[in-house]
Amino acid sequence: MRLSSPSQSGFMKHFWLIGYLLLPSTALFAETKTWVGPSGSNWTNAASWSPNGVPAAADDIVFNSTTTVVFTANVNEFKSLTITNTADVLLESDGAVFGFVKGAPLTINAGSKLKLRRVRIQLDGSSLVNGTLDMLTGMAETRLNAQVGSTATITINGKVRVGSEKYLNLDQDAVGLFGTGAKNSVLFNSGSEYEIARTGGQSGITPATWASDAVLKITEATSTNGYGLYWHPTSGEHEIGTFIWDCPNQGAVANLGFALSPYVTLVKGDFIINNTNGKLLQFTTANNVNYNITFKGDFKILTSNSPLYLYGAGGTPNPNYAVTLAFEKNVDCRS
């Protein structure tokens, strides 16, 4: 008896079926997970997600309603996170680190808000903030993936805020927004705002590209131990858009580290000092370093008792360096 071989088409059907079954389970079951749980529910509550089940690494995550989400363990990886439909979402931890690792861009749509309390986020991919990202208190840190070869970016058309709250009876400042170190990893577009409402310590600013009317605004600096504003320690010159210092409860001397290496050499918009509560505000630079900065917009000190000094390292005047301030528009220094 002669046995016939299976047809080519039958063979291919079996081949594709076997190949399909051998695919990783995440490729078969990647889903969009939408939060439907009650406010205050834990992230790991499977019933709080639709479809039912805690998000996995390959899942896209969507919040489209106002809620608070609590967690007690790390969330290590997922595909993306979107806040939409004017939702006001608070992610809150009792101390655990909340990580968005590789391949997890963040999107906050216009009118929506993401608030972080004792939460750390690490982003990769292309993130977009058209609404508000509010980092309320300690361990709230948004950081782009800084690994070699990363092309992570975050574009801000809305507002990013770095705040401070009391936790365990102590002032807990949020950390801030950091990029990969490349200037084009963070983009503040026209009309955007970056508010730093920390009480004290040193606030680091990442290298970024700024529109001239994108605002960097300092609103607290209440600590009696002083305050410092410094640029992320990467090579190269830095720029900002419009700068506003408005600290009616400023508690002590504050340092503007524009002249520390790396330098802020360009203010593309206005430079405005609204209020220092009568406390000293000083440019700070290292010893024996010449420093140049150009102010392309108006330069304004609009309140009395708000001295602005040029100081060297250690808080003392230093004759060994030259400082050049170039003003391209109006200068208004009221006494």
Side-chain angles (χ1 to χ4, degrees):
M1 177 182 292
R2 183 178 180 182
L3 297 176
S4 60
S5 61
S7 66
Q8 183 178 8
S9 62
F11 173 78
M12 291 302 294
K13 288 179 181 177
H14 283 83
F15 175 81
W16 285 113
L17 177 60
I18 292 170
Y20 181 75
L21 292 174
L22 289 176
L23 286 173
S25 60
T26 54
L28 290 176
F29 300 110
E31 295 179 303
T32 297
K33 294 281 190 176
T34 302
W35 179 267
V36 294
S39 186
S41 179
N42 198 291
W43 180 282
T44 57
N45 182 5
S48 290
W49 299 97
S50 178
N52 186 283
V54 180
D59 291 339
D60 295 297
I61 297 174
V62 175
F63 287 91
N64 58 17
S65 60
T66 296
T67 193
T68 296
V69 182
V70 179
F71 56 91
T72 54
N74 292 348
V75 176
N76 292 317
E77 187 171 359
F78 46 82
K79 187 178 178 183
S80 68
L81 173 64
T82 300
I83 315 296
T84 190
N85 196 38
T86 67
D88 188 335
V89 177
L90 170 62
L91 301 183
E92 184 172 40
S93 167
D94 62 357
V97 174
F98 188 41
F100 301 71
V101 294
K102 289 184 180 180
L106 167 67
T107 300
I108 305 175
N109 287 333
S112 298
K113 178 183 287 188
L114 174 61
K115 296 180 293 188
L116 310 175
R117 179 175 283 127
R118 298 183 299 280
V119 166
R120 182 186 297 251
I121 294 182
Q122 183 172 331
L123 301 171
D124 204 352
S126 298
S127 295
L128 180 64
V129 178
N130 287 333
T132 300
L133 172 62
D134 193 350
M135 293 171 274
L136 297 172
T137 191
M139 289 304 296
E141 177 179 354
T142 300
R143 182 185 295 274
L144 302 184
N145 190 335
Q147 293 189 6
V148 175
S150 172
T151 57
T153 61
I154 183 165
T155 301
I156 301 155
N157 297 308
K159 178 175 180 176
V160 175
R161 179 181 178 274
V162 179
S164 178
E165 292 182 336
K166 283 195 178 296
Y167 177 61
L168 300 178
N169 295 319
L170 296 173
D171 287 328
Q172 295 287 324
D173 290 316
V175 178
L177 180 71
F178 291 91
T180 62
K183 179 180 173 182
N184 59 357
S185 68
V186 179
L187 176 63
F188 289 97
N189 280 337
S190 178
S192 65
E193 180 176 300
Y194 187 22
E195 178 185 2
I196 299 179
R198 289 168 52 101
T199 61
Q202 295 185 4
S203 296
I205 309 293
T206 188
T209 299
W210 295 75
S212 61
D213 66 340
V215 175
L216 172 59
K217 188 175 184 179
I218 315 300
T219 58
E220 292 294 335
T222 59
S223 172
T224 57
N225 294 321
Y227 179 88
L229 185 67
Y230 297 102
W231 263 251
H232 193 269
T234 59
S235 60
E237 298 175 352
H238 292 255
E239 65 179 42
I240 55 175
T242 293
F243 180 83
I244 299 175
W245 186 281
D246 192 8
C247 299
N249 297 308
Q250 183 173 324
V253 174
N255 294 303
L256 296 181
F258 284 21
L260 290 173
S261 181
Y263 310 129
V264 176
T265 58
L266 179 63
V267 179
K268 300 169 74 173
D270 294 340
F271 180 92
I272 302 170
I273 307 299
N274 276 335
N275 204 328
T276 68
N277 194 28
K279 302 298 191 299
L280 180 66
L281 184 61
Q282 61 189 27
F283 283 104
T284 306
T285 187
N287 289 326
N288 304 315
V289 175
N290 296 330
Y291 172 59
N292 303 298
I293 184 170
T294 299
F295 299 90
K296 298 190 73 68
D298 291 340
F299 183 97
K300 303 176 183 180
I301 300 179
L302 299 180
T303 181
S304 60
N305 298 319
S306 294
L308 180 64
Y309 288 171
L310 300 174
Y311 269 59
T316 58
N318 187 339
N320 296 321
Y321 67 88
V323 176
T324 302
L325 307 181
F327 305 101
E328 295 191 358
K329 288 193 175 179
N330 300 316
V331 176
D332 183 359
C333 299
R334 304 180 188 180
S335 60

